[in-house]
Amino acid sequence: MIMKYANLLDRFITYVKVNTRSDENSTTTPSTQSQVDFATNVLIPEMKRVGLQNVYYLPNGYAIGTLPANDPSFTRKIGFISHMDTADFNAENVNPQIVENYDGGVIALGESGFTLDPADFAHLNNYKGQTLITTDGTTLLGADDKSGIAEIMTAIEYLTAHPEIKHGEIRVGFGPDEEIGVGADQFDAEDFDVDFAYTVDGGPLGELQYETFSAAGAEITFKGRNVHPGTAKGQMINALQLAIDFHNKLPEGARPELTEGYEGFYHLMNIDGTVEEASASYIIRDFETESFEKRKDLMKSIADQMNAELGSERILLTLKDQYYNMKQVIEKDMTPITLAKEVMEDLGITPIIEPIRGGTDGSKISFMGIPTPNIFAGGENMHGRFEYVSLQTMERAVDTIIGIVTKK
C-alpha cells in the first residue's frame, strides 16, 4: 500500500482503539475520564512530537497547541478543531478492519454476521479501488471524529518536516463531549485567539458546511391523577394519555423521518411514566430564526391550551436553547468559506456546500467570536457498527488543511 502520508493510517488506528465515549448523564466536563486520559497521555505527547509548540491542556478538556508562522507575510491566524469523544454506541475493544483496493462488493464485518453491502449503502460505490477502514461489526469505528484529529496531526507533522512550505500561524484544539453537545460550552475563544477556524468533523470528500440547525431541547412533565380504573370516569387523569395528546397536537409531518433539506422538525426522544406522572423529551430543530421561534411557541401554546382545558397546571414545559445556526455569524464575512472552496477546487475536489442537519462545535464557537465552518473528515455511516472511512479521503483532508494554511 503506497501512502502519501506515512503515519496517517497507523495514527488513526491507534486513536480509534482507545475508548473515549462520552456520557450524557455525567455532571463533569469532560464527561468521562477516558477523554482526559486520551488527551493527556496520547494527544499531548504526540502534539509535541509532531512539532506543535506551547502545548497545554486546559481544565475545559481542550488540548491546545500552536505551529508558529514561518513567513511573516502570512498575517492570518487559522485554527483547526476536532473532538475526542465518540457517540452513544459500543466503543470498547474497537478492532478495525483494513480493506485494501475495495472491489465494490459486500464487506463482511469480522465474524459478527453484519456486512457492509452496497445494496444497503449505495455510497460504497464511490470507493471502489480505495482503502477502507471498517469496524468488525461489534463496535463503532470512531472516525467521528478521530479521523479529524489524525488529519490535523498529520498535516502539522508534514508542515514541520517541510519547512520550505510557507504558512501562517496555526492553532490546534482537540476537545471533549461534542457528541453530547456540551464540550464547546466551555471553549475559551479568547485563549484560542485566531481569525477564524475550521472543525474537521464532516463526512464525505468535499463537504464544506457553514449552515447548521438552530436547536432547542424540551422537557415536559405530565401530572396525572390515578384512581381505580373501574370508577375512573370523570375522575382519572392519565398522565400517559396527556403525553400522547400533547404529541398528537404537533404537526404530523414535522418529524425527522419525514423531513429533509431545510425542513425543521420536532423529535420525540423519550417518553416514560405511569398514570400518575409521565415525562417526555424532545429536540426541536430549524434553520431559520423565525420558524425556530415559532416551533418553540407552538409547544408553549399547546401546553397552555391543555392546561386551560384541564383547569390546572398539569403540563409543565421547560425549553432550553442548545445552539444556533452559525450561518448568522459566518455570512457576515465569507472569507473562511471562500478560502476553503478555492483550496478544494485547486486540489481537484468538488466542494459540497450543503446545510448540516445537525450541529458541530463550530455552531457554538462561531457565536463566541471565531467563525468556524466545518470541513470533511471522511467518515460514513457514523455512530454505529456500519461506520467506515476511506484512507484516500483522509489524505485529501490533510491536503485541504495544508492548502488552507498555505494559500494567501
Side-chain angles (χ1 to χ4, degrees), residues 240-252:
L240 287 166
Q241 186 61 52
L242 292 179
I244 293 168
D245 293 344
F246 184 98
H247 184 74
N248 287 340
K249 292 179 184 295
L250 294 171
E252 172 66 21

Side-chain angles (χ1 to χ4, degrees), residues 82-366:
S82 289
H83 64 89
M84 296 179 281
D85 66 316
T86 58
D88 187 19
F89 194 84
N90 182 27
E92 190 65 42
N93 299 316
V94 174
N95 183 31
Q97 296 185 151
I98 300 173
V99 181
E100 295 189 40
N101 194 24
Y102 172 55
D103 63 7
V106 177
I107 301 172
L109 299 179
E111 299 179 358
S112 67
F114 293 99
T115 63
L116 276 173
D117 189 337
D120 298 320
F121 306 109
H123 41 70
L124 279 164
N125 294 312
N126 298 327
Y127 298 101
K128 291 179 183 178
Q130 298 190 28
T131 297
L132 303 184
I133 303 101
T134 78
T135 77
D136 68 357
T138 64
T139 69
L140 49 62
L141 179 60
D144 182 12
D145 187 26
K146 288 171 181 170
S147 58
I149 298 176
E151 290 153 6
I152 294 169
M153 202 81 82
T154 301
I156 297 297
E157 181 179 55
Y158 190 85
L159 290 168
T160 302
H162 294 83
E164 72 278 8
I165 300 175
K166 302 305 179 183
H167 58 82
E169 181 177 315
I170 304 165
R171 292 277 277 164
V172 169
F174 302 128
D177 293 334
E178 190 268 356
E179 298 293 357
I180 58 174
V182 299
D185 289 343
Q186 298 183 45
F187 181 80
D188 191 336
E190 183 177 357
D191 173 77
F192 202 57
D193 187 27
V194 294
D195 295 297
F196 52 83
Y198 299 89
T199 50
V200 186
D201 191 21
L205 180 70
E207 281 193 350
L208 172 58
Q209 300 157 321
Y210 68 97
E211 296 182 72
T212 63
F213 278 136
S214 289
E219 298 293 332
I220 314 174
T221 300
F222 302 90
K223 297 287 188 179
R225 182 169 62 211
N226 194 9
V227 299
H228 191 285
T231 58
K233 187 171 183 179
Q235 299 182 74
M236 177 186 285
I237 300 174
N238 189 331
L240 287 166
Q241 186 61 52
L242 292 179
I244 293 168
D245 293 344
F246 184 98
H247 184 74
N248 287 340
K249 292 179 184 295
L250 294 171
E252 172 66 21
R255 306 199 304 262
E257 63 269 33
L258 300 176
T259 55
E260 62 184 353
Y262 283 94
E263 296 171 328
F265 56 73
Y266 304 88
H267 182 29
L268 177 60
M269 299 285 288
N270 181 69
I271 186 168
D272 189 28
T274 64
V275 172
E276 189 73 23
E277 183 170 307
S279 62
S281 299
Y282 288 83
I283 60 172
I284 306 164
R285 301 290 187 264
D286 213 303
F287 285 97
E288 300 301 328
T289 300
E290 183 178 356
S291 51
F292 177 57
E293 294 300 325
K294 284 182 177 179
R295 290 190 186 279
K296 292 185 290 181
D297 289 343
L298 177 59
M299 286 197 124
K300 293 175 186 175
S301 67
I302 292 172
D304 289 343
Q305 176 193 356
M306 291 181 66
N307 282 329
E309 292 171 352
L310 291 162
S312 60
E313 294 285 317
R314 294 191 175 272
I315 291 87
L316 309 176
L317 170 66
T318 301
L319 287 165
K320 183 179 179 181
D321 286 356
Q322 296 166 326
Y323 57 84
Y324 302 105
N325 187 349
M326 60 187 178
K327 175 185 176 182
Q328 299 172 34
V329 174
I330 294 173
E331 67 181 355
K332 296 175 183 177
D333 181 355
M334 293 288 283
T335 298
I337 303 304
T338 302
L339 175 59
K341 180 175 181 291
E342 289 178 353
V343 167
M344 289 185 193
E345 290 172 341
D346 291 345
L347 293 168
I349 300 169
T350 301
I352 303 171
I353 302 177
E354 295 177 343
I356 308 171
R357 288 182 61 80
T360 73
D361 281 340
S363 303
K364 294 181 178 180
I365 294 170
S366 291

Side-chain angles (χ1 to χ4, degrees), residues 29-66:
T29 301
S31 65
T32 52
Q33 182 63 35
S34 61
Q35 293 181 78
V36 178
D37 294 342
F38 181 63
T40 56
N41 298 334
V42 179
L43 295 185
I44 292 284
E46 187 163 16
M47 291 168 76
K48 294 176 180 177
R49 283 197 301 270
V50 300
L52 287 167
Q53 300 179 22
N54 190 26
V55 175
Y56 53 93
Y57 181 72
L58 289 170
N60 62 10
Y62 277 83
I64 305 292
T66 302

